[in-house]
Amino acid sequence: MAEADASAISLGPIGVFDSGYGGLTILRDLRKTLPEYDYLYLGDNARAPYGSRSFEVIYRYTLEAVKELFARGCPLVILACNTASAKALRTIQQKDLPGIDPTRRVLGVIRPTVEILDKVSESGHIGVLGTPGTVASNSYVLETMKLFPDMKVTQQACPLWVPIVENSEAEGDGADYFVKKYIDALMAKDPETDTFVLACTHYPLLIDKIRKYAPEGMRILEQGHLVAESLKDYLRRHPEMESRLSKGGSAQFLTSENPEKFDSLASVFTHHPVKSRRCALD
Ligand code: DGL
C-alpha cells in the first residue's frame, strides 16, 4: 500500500524563474550548493526587463511563468528575480497558490538576503542597490524593518546596470561611470552605510567595478549563495517537499525569446554552454 502511494507521487525539478538572464547567477549557486536536484530554468526574455514595469504587469507575467513551471511538473518554484519577488511573490503565495495547488510552493530571493543582515553589518546602515521596480516596491526596507527595526536602509535605483550587463559591457570602460555614479549617490544619502546588498540578479556580473568604487571595507552581499543556503535549510525543514523533487543533477533551460539568442548571452552568466528551448508565455 505504501508502495502504491509513493509511486503515485510524480517527482519534478525545482523551477527557477527570472525575467531574463539574471536568475542564472542564482541557478549557478543553487547547483553548487544543491547539485543533486534537477532544475528547470525559465527566462521571460521576450518581455524583459521587468525592472521598470508596473506592479500589475509584473504580477501578471510572473504568475503566468509560475503556472507554466507548475504545468511542467515543478513542485517548487524559486522567483530568482528581485523585481518579481518584490512585486508578485506575496500575492501569488497568499491569493493564487491556494486555488492553483496548495501543496506547491513559490519562494523568493528577498527574505533569504535580509535574514542575514545582522550578521554582516556593524553600523546597521544598509545600502540596497536595485532596479527602479525593486526600489519603488520598498520590499527590502519593509522586510528589514520586520526583522531588524533598528537598522537603517537606504535605497538606490541603478536603472542602467541591467542594460550594461545585457549588452556585454560589464567589463568595458563605459560601465565605470554608471557604477561610480550610483554608488556615490547612495553614499551621499547615508555615509555610514557599511553593507551593500546587490538586490538584482545581474549585479554580481559588475562585482569587480562595484568593489572598485565602493568605499574601503564595504561588505558587499551577492544573493546566490544566500538563496541557496536558505533553500537547503527549507528543504531540511520540509521533507514533504524535498521528497517530491527529482534528483538527477540536471538543468534545462526555457526562454520566451529566441533560444539561439538566449544561449549566446546565457553562457556569459553560467560560464559554460547553454542549450535552451522556446516556451511561449501568455
Ligand atoms: N532579474 C531582475 C532583478 O533581479 C533584473 C532584470 C529586470 O529588470 O528584469 O530585479
Side-chain angles (χ1 to χ4, degrees):
M1 192 61 206
E3 264 178 37
D5 284 349
S7 66
I9 300 170
S10 57
L11 304 181
I14 298 174
V16 180
F17 169 67
D18 182 48
S19 55
Y21 300 102
L24 293 168
T25 61
I26 306 281
L27 178 66
R28 202 173 56 197
D29 282 302
L30 289 173
R31 294 191 76 196
K32 228 185 270 169
T33 305
L34 298 162
E36 63 271 40
Y37 298 105
D38 292 313
Y39 294 89
L40 180 57
Y41 184 90
L42 171 56
D44 190 9
N45 301 76
R47 304 188 292 194
Y50 282 11
S52 42
R53 292 190 186 274
S54 66
F55 169 86
E56 291 74 18
V57 170
I58 293 168
Y59 162 64
R60 179 158 55 84
Y61 287 180
T62 304
L63 183 59
E64 285 166 7
V66 166
K67 285 182 175 166
E68 183 66 36
L69 287 166
F70 281 171
R72 289 174 186 259
C74 301
L76 169 69
V77 172
I78 310 291
L79 300 186
C81 172
N82 284 271
T83 312
S85 297
K87 300 216 168 190
L89 178 62
R90 190 170 299 264
T91 317
I92 290 175
Q93 282 174 333
Q94 293 176 356
K95 185 172 131 311
D96 300 298
L97 210 46
I100 301 171
D101 181 347
T103 72
R104 302 205 200 202
R105 287 290 172 267
V106 182
L107 305 173
V109 291
I110 296 177
R111 185 79 184 205
T113 310
V114 168
E115 264 168 6
I116 53 93
L117 287 177
D118 64 327
K119 293 182 189 66
V120 181
S121 174
E122 271 176 28
S123 69
H125 289 241
I126 311 296
V128 171
L129 298 152
T131 64
T134 297
V135 167
S137 76
N138 248 354
S139 296
Y140 275 90
V141 179
L142 298 171
E143 284 294 326
T144 307
M145 289 307 104
K146 267 190 235 159
L147 298 182
F148 311 113
D150 295 334
M151 283 190 175
K152 179 168 185 227
V153 180
T154 303
Q155 304 191 92
Q156 178 61 45
C158 312
L160 286 167
W161 287 8
V162 167
I164 285 170
V165 171
E166 297 236 330
N167 286 288
S168 307
E169 290 291 343
E171 278 150 36
D173 293 341
D176 285 65
Y177 175 83
F178 286 105
V179 170
K180 181 172 179 338
K181 176 180 164 141
Y182 299 137
I183 288 177
D184 287 352
L186 192 148
M187 292 311 296
K189 287 187 251 183
D190 183 2
E192 285 184 65
T193 302
D194 74 349
T195 304
F196 282 169
V197 175
L198 304 190
C200 172
T201 50
H202 283 60
Y203 298 175
L205 277 92
L206 287 165
I207 189 71
D208 290 342
K209 291 196 195 292
I210 293 171
R211 283 207 187 101
K212 180 170 165 191
Y213 293 108
E216 223 184 300
M218 183 66 65
R219 294 123 215 228
I220 302 173
L221 290 186
E222 297 181 55
Q223 297 180 299
H225 72 281
L226 301 177
V227 173
E229 285 301 327
S230 173
L231 180 60
K232 191 175 173 181
D233 182 53
Y234 176 88
L235 294 177
R236 194 180 43 74
R237 288 184 289 110
H238 293 276
E240 77 290 355
M241 175 55 74
E242 202 282 334
S243 63
R244 293 176 65 186
L245 302 174
S246 58
K247 298 182 184 72
S250 73
Q252 295 196 41
F253 299 87
L254 301 169
T255 174
S256 57
E257 245 281 6
N258 174 297
E260 285 77 38
K261 190 169 173 227
F262 180 86
D263 297 351
S264 65
L265 194 55
S267 54
V268 173
F269 288 79
T270 56
H271 306 307
H272 55 73
V274 166
K275 190 98 198 79
S276 65
R277 284 172 293 136
R278 189 159 188 285
C279 163
L281 282 175
D282 50 35

